Amino acid sequence: MRNTVQSVIVAIDGPSGTGKSSTSKAVAAKLGLRYLDTGAQYRAITWWMLSHGVDTDDPAAVASAAGKPVIVSGTDPDHPTITVDGLDAAGPIRTQEVTAKVSAVSAVPEVRTLITDLQRSIAAAAADGIVVEGRDIGTTVLPDADLKIFLTASPEARAARRSGELKGSDVTATREALIRRDAADSSRKTSPLAKAGDAVEVDTTELSLSQVIECVVTLVEEKRAAG
């Protein structure tokens, strides 16, 4: 039985491997909220660029093509979907090729403006509330969110988790890749990865997924109780 928490917008930010997606989906499902994985949208536009021969290392080329793909995100936390030009992109956007290029594409201001507008429109349409996860949700996309949470974890813990998701991957190489991604996301000029000043920080290094979910659910319920 789901507990319904009416019309609350929750922003969950943090670097890769902290448990954002698993936590956000579970919290949304438990509380009867919608769910949006904003990282999937940046992956989707990156996949489209790669599929259409756009040089992802050329910001001008990326900017000029940014408005062409039609990205649609389904917000059911039990079955989140994403399509690009009507095609199911859930699988293709998780390839290593996309992972390697998404930081460069998402750093282009024109891309961020388009995707940010899309994210805001999805959040505004979520009548019963939504959990939105990403890297700049509390700082840029939804600065007026009812609750902002910033998940962190040690690079070692994050690498171990991500290696577990990517069967057969090397933990050391994964850790180095995560650190490079952090540096790229934190140093970009447009909407860098950052903790909002009023965000609640949750270190997930020593916590199980169920403990992180329980913690975030409690934070949401406390926020609603406080009005």
Side-chain angles (χ1 to χ4, degrees):
M1 184 72 179
R2 290 182 177 180
N3 299 313
T4 301
V5 177
Q6 292 296 326
S7 193
V8 58
I9 293 179
V10 182
I12 299 183
D13 289 308
S16 300
T18 53
K20 287 197 311 293
S21 294
S22 298
T23 298
S24 299
K25 279 189 284 190
V27 168
K30 193 165 187 177
L31 296 177
L33 305 174
R34 310 307 293 177
Y35 161 74
L36 178 61
D37 175 1
T38 64
Q41 296 175 318
Y42 285 107
R43 285 176 170 273
I45 198 168
T46 301
W47 174 64
W48 185 93
M49 297 280 175
L50 292 168
S51 300
H52 287 76
V54 177
D55 182 358
T56 55
D57 293 320
D58 180 350
V62 171
S64 65
K68 295 180 181 179
V70 177
I71 298 170
V72 178
S73 296
T75 57
D76 180 347
D78 292 324
H79 303 285
T81 59
I82 186 160
T83 62
V84 181
D85 295 341
L87 300 174
D88 180 5
I93 65 172
R94 301 297 172 182
T95 63
Q96 192 57 46
E97 183 184 21
V98 170
T99 298
K101 297 296 185 180
V102 66
S103 285
V105 172
S106 62
V108 176
E110 289 82 357
V111 171
R112 297 207 76 82
T113 296
L114 282 165
I115 299 296
T116 294
D117 288 345
L118 175 60
Q119 292 161 0
R120 287 174 176 160
S121 67
I122 292 170
D128 292 337
I130 190 169
V131 177
V132 183
E133 58 134 320
R135 287 171 169 76
D136 65 340
I137 310 307
T139 54
T140 301
V141 180
L142 300 170
D144 296 324
D146 298 298
L147 176 64
K148 302 173 188 177
I149 295 170
F150 194 85
L151 298 184
T152 64
S154 70
E156 292 73 22
R158 293 163 53 207
R161 291 169 186 165
R162 186 50 55 90
S163 294
E165 296 169 3
L166 306 172
K167 303 302 181 186
S169 61
D170 178 82
V171 176
T172 301
T174 301
R175 178 180 179 276
E176 292 173 354
L178 287 172
I179 291 173
R180 286 196 299 272
R181 177 77 189 273
D182 289 350
D185 289 346
S186 300
S187 62
R188 65 173 177 245
K189 293 181 179 180
T190 305
S191 302
L193 164 67
K195 175 188 171 186
D198 55 348
V200 178
E201 184 169 324
V202 178
D203 188 333
T204 70
T205 302
E206 302 294 336
L207 301 178
S208 67
L209 176 59
S210 62
Q211 288 174 320
V212 178
I213 293 166
E214 182 180 355
C215 174
V216 175
V217 166
T218 299
L219 288 170
V220 176
E221 290 178 332
E222 287 175 350
K223 186 67 178 180
R224 297 308 296 168

